[in-house]
Structure formats: C-alpha cells, structure tokens
Amino acid sequence: MKVAIRADASPQIGTGHIRRMLSLAKALRSSGADVLFVTRDLGLNASTTVEQEGFRATVLPAPSGKAEPDATIPHSHWSEVSQEQDIAETTAALSDFVPARVIIDHYAFDARWHDQVADALGAPVMVIDDLADRTLSGRWLVDHNYHPDHGAKFSGRLGKETRLLGGPSYALIDPSYADARRYEFDHDIRSIGVFMGGVDLGGDTLAVLDALTEAGWSGPVEVVATSHNPARDAIAERLANWPEGILSQDLPSLAEFFQRHDLQIGAGGGAIWERCCIGPPTIGMVCADNQKKSIPFANAAGFLLGIDHSDQPVRRHIALVDALRDLAASPERRKSLSKTAMKLVDGRGVTRIVAALESED
C-alpha cells in the first residue's frame, strides 16, 4: 500500500507534527507500506529529519509572499500559502506516486483540502486533528488527545461518513514505546527532567529553570533540547552553573530520558503521551493555544498535573513553583499520577491506526 503523509515544521508550528507522523510512518513501514512525505520549506528543513529516519520526502516550494489568512480557519497562517495553492501543489507532487491513502496533519487546512485532494488523487484521506476548530472531512479522523466525549468535541465539524478514532489509545508515539522500559516509582525525587518541545519559541525552558530555583530544587536536572531551540546557548550557560545540570541535545528517542527521572516537566504537546506510556509523574504546561484543548482535561483526569496561565507569566510561575513544592512533599500523589498515566497509554496507538487504514469497511 502506498501512503502519502502531508505535514510541516516551522518555528511557529514546531516539530511535533513531523515527529508524530514519523511515528505513524514507522508502523506503516513495518506493515509493508511504501510511505512518501510531502512537506513545505518553512525554515526548519523538515525533509532532512524525515530522510534521517529512512523515508523519502518531496519538498514543496518555500512561500513567495504573504498569503491572506482565511477567516474560517484560525490557523490558516501556519501554511504561509493559500489553501488552494497547497491543494494544487500537493496533488501535483503526488500524481506520479499514486497513493492509496493520504494522511494530513495540519491545522491550516479544512474539509475543502481533505475533499479536493481525495477527489484529485482517488485516495481516501485520514485527518489528524485535536483542535476541532474548523470543518473537517476524510474517511477517518484521529484525535489522540484525552477528552471525556470526542463526539461532542467534534459535533458539527465532521462529515457524516467520517470515522472518529479518539483518545490516547491512538497515541501517535513511536512503536518502540510499546516495549520500552517503564519508570519505576521512588519515594524521593532524585532527579528532574525537562523537555519543553522541539522549538520552544517562547523560552519556556528558562522559565522552568527559574521556577525550580525558586522552589528550592538544587538536585540533578537534565534538560532536553533540539538544535531548533533558539535559546539553547542560554540554557547551556544556565545549566553550567547548576550543581548537577545536564543539557542533552537532539536525542533520537526520549524513552530512556523519561524513564530515568522521578519528575518530568514538559509542554503539553505530543510528548505528553510518551511520558504517560513510560510513566514518570509529570507536570504538563500549556505552552501554545492548542494545548488549552488537552491539558485541562488531562489534569482533571489525574494523569498529570496541569499548569495553564500561558498568557500570564507571573501567575504561571507561581503555579509552577507551588506544584513543584506540592509534589516534592507528596509521594502518594506522584505515585497516583504515574499509575494513572501508564493505564492510559500502552504504546500501540500507531498499530491501531494502521489497522484502520488497511480496513476497507
């Protein structure tokens, strides 16, 4: 089966969409599928990341000007071209490949993209979305975020024939997580891990280190960053003065990183589900508007401690300091977070998605 995947990375989008599509691509490859990525040149060289994982990538041209935003699509500016232009260029790029399935993971496109690309290529479309902020189509829709009622979340947004695959049982994390070593609970917090996303354009890593200092933590800290993080030099300088500070860059997998620390602090993106699968107690922070759709529900469900106030830095700082102190003083709460998280995600989400893609009914 030939499968085309359309996803982008940029300073504004981050790298999470490419990363989670690579996780799905690996499961597709294991099932025998031929996978081709289509990505636009938006400044982060996503095609290199794709090719390093052994997949082919077709690169659409860099935007030549500023596209007019589409008022019906809140994130239309993320594509940096009009939806019509992307439809035309994507279908042209895939005309010789002739995919049997198309997967789109992009907040800038709506049902018009899904329907027109499906019609032009004669291939059903799977949509990856967790915002439910525009009209959506396709044969399948995957939302791997936790929500008490996905049907209500997408009510009025989906086509009647779209099959909804909702919840962390479809978590888009690397297939290797299914058999990765899990976190073993300890009464004490011996070390803390921090990963605030592939780009961290808002400088949240430094804000976390500030909160750790105020909370009185002087023990071991490992920060994971990527070469796309604009503040990595400042982070390295800060950790150089930390008694036991480590900066790890561009790790191929975060599974062992999540397993080796008794507390994790991270942005509320897709890595949340990797943490849940491995099981460390986690503080999940809203670092982007779309994360407001998931972190509050995750906090209420008890598999992480959620911190919002993303638009109020002082309040967020206070909330994070309080959370650090509370968890340090409450081993039982940390244990509960860990156990609840591991029950939620088993690491086989991409396998379930591949089964859906291969099904004709």
Side-chain angles (χ1 to χ4, degrees):
M1 183 170 66
K2 290 186 175 183
V3 180
I5 295 177
R6 175 75 184 90
D8 284 334
S10 74
Q12 188 171 40
I13 295 171
T15 60
H17 295 262
I18 290 291
R19 286 294 177 188
R20 66 189 187 183
M21 286 301 94
L22 280 169
S23 297
L24 181 53
K26 290 176 184 178
L28 284 162
R29 181 168 58 191
S30 294
S31 75
D34 181 11
V35 181
L36 174 67
F37 278 76
V38 178
T39 184
R40 189 175 297 282
D41 180 2
L42 296 178
L44 285 192
N45 203 10
S47 61
T48 299
T49 302
V50 169
E51 289 163 357
Q52 286 173 344
E53 295 290 349
F55 295 97
R56 291 173 294 149
T58 295
V59 181
L60 303 180
S64 57
K66 194 171 183 179
E68 287 294 321
D70 186 329
T72 66
I73 305 176
H75 292 81
S76 64
H77 57 289
W78 280 18
S79 66
E80 301 186 34
V81 300
S82 70
Q83 183 164 229
E84 292 73 22
Q85 179 180 338
D86 199 274
I87 291 169
E89 292 178 349
T90 298
T91 54
L94 292 173
S95 60
D96 291 336
F97 183 64
V98 193
R101 304 283 190 270
V102 176
I103 304 170
I104 172 72
D105 185 355
H106 214 304
Y107 297 152
F109 307 134
D110 66 5
R112 290 167 290 180
W113 194 103
H114 310 148
D115 290 338
Q116 290 181 44
V117 169
D119 290 344
L121 297 174
V125 170
M126 171 177 279
V127 180
I128 312 296
D129 186 75
D130 45 39
L131 295 184
D133 63 352
R134 64 208 185 282
T135 58
L136 302 165
S137 187
R139 182 177 292 182
W140 311 268
L141 183 136
V142 178
D143 174 8
H144 70 171
N145 278 350
Y146 177 83
H147 195 281
D149 187 346
H150 280 84
K153 178 179 178 178
F154 286 93
S155 178
R157 298 293 192 185
L158 286 183
K160 292 182 179 178
E161 303 302 318
T162 303
R163 180 182 177 191
L164 176 56
L165 310 177
S169 60
Y170 296 100
L172 288 152
I173 63 177
D174 194 281
S176 63
Y177 276 82
D179 298 314
R181 184 180 176 187
R182 271 34 178 183
Y183 166 73
E184 295 180 11
F185 180 78
D186 194 276
H187 182 272
D188 298 317
I189 299 178
R190 296 163 294 182
S191 62
I192 293 176
V194 180
F195 174 60
M196 304 308 294
V199 177
D200 186 16
L201 200 59
D204 294 307
T205 302
L206 292 170
V208 169
L209 293 176
D210 288 340
L212 285 169
T213 299
E214 183 164 336
W217 177 259
S218 59
V221 173
E222 180 180 6
V223 173
V224 168
T226 73
S227 53
H228 300 303
N229 190 321
R232 63 186 181 277
D233 291 340
I235 296 167
E237 183 178 349
R238 181 77 65 86
L239 290 173
N241 296 315
W242 203 279
E244 296 180 78
I246 299 172
L247 175 60
S248 300
Q249 295 194 66
D250 297 321
L251 297 181
S253 171
L254 298 183
E256 291 186 6
F257 164 71
F258 293 141
Q259 183 271 332
R260 64 177 166 253
H261 299 295
D262 296 303
L263 180 63
Q264 288 283 343
I265 305 171
I272 285 293
W273 310 119
E274 296 175 351
R275 294 182 186 92
C276 283
C277 186
I278 301 301
T282 294
I283 296 175
M285 298 177 61
V286 174
C287 298
D289 286 345
N290 61 299
Q291 293 167 12
K292 292 178 180 288
K293 299 275 187 176
S294 57
I295 290 298
F297 290 114
N299 183 73
F303 56 86
L304 57 75
L305 195 162
I307 303 290
D308 196 346
H309 311 306
S310 53
D311 54 347
Q312 301 175 61
V314 175
R315 285 189 66 189
R316 186 174 74 158
H317 175 79
I318 293 170
L320 180 54
V321 170
D322 289 345
L324 289 165
R325 289 171 174 165
D326 289 347
L327 290 181
S330 179
E332 287 305 312
R333 186 174 186 190
R334 296 200 316 275
K335 189 173 185 178
S336 175
L337 292 174
S338 176
K339 291 175 65 176
T340 304
M342 283 193 279
K343 289 178 181 177
L344 197 68
V345 181
D346 63 4
R348 293 177 169 80
V350 288
T351 303
R352 296 183 180 96
I353 294 170
V354 170
L357 279 167
E358 292 176 342
S359 173
E360 293 294 338
D361 59 22

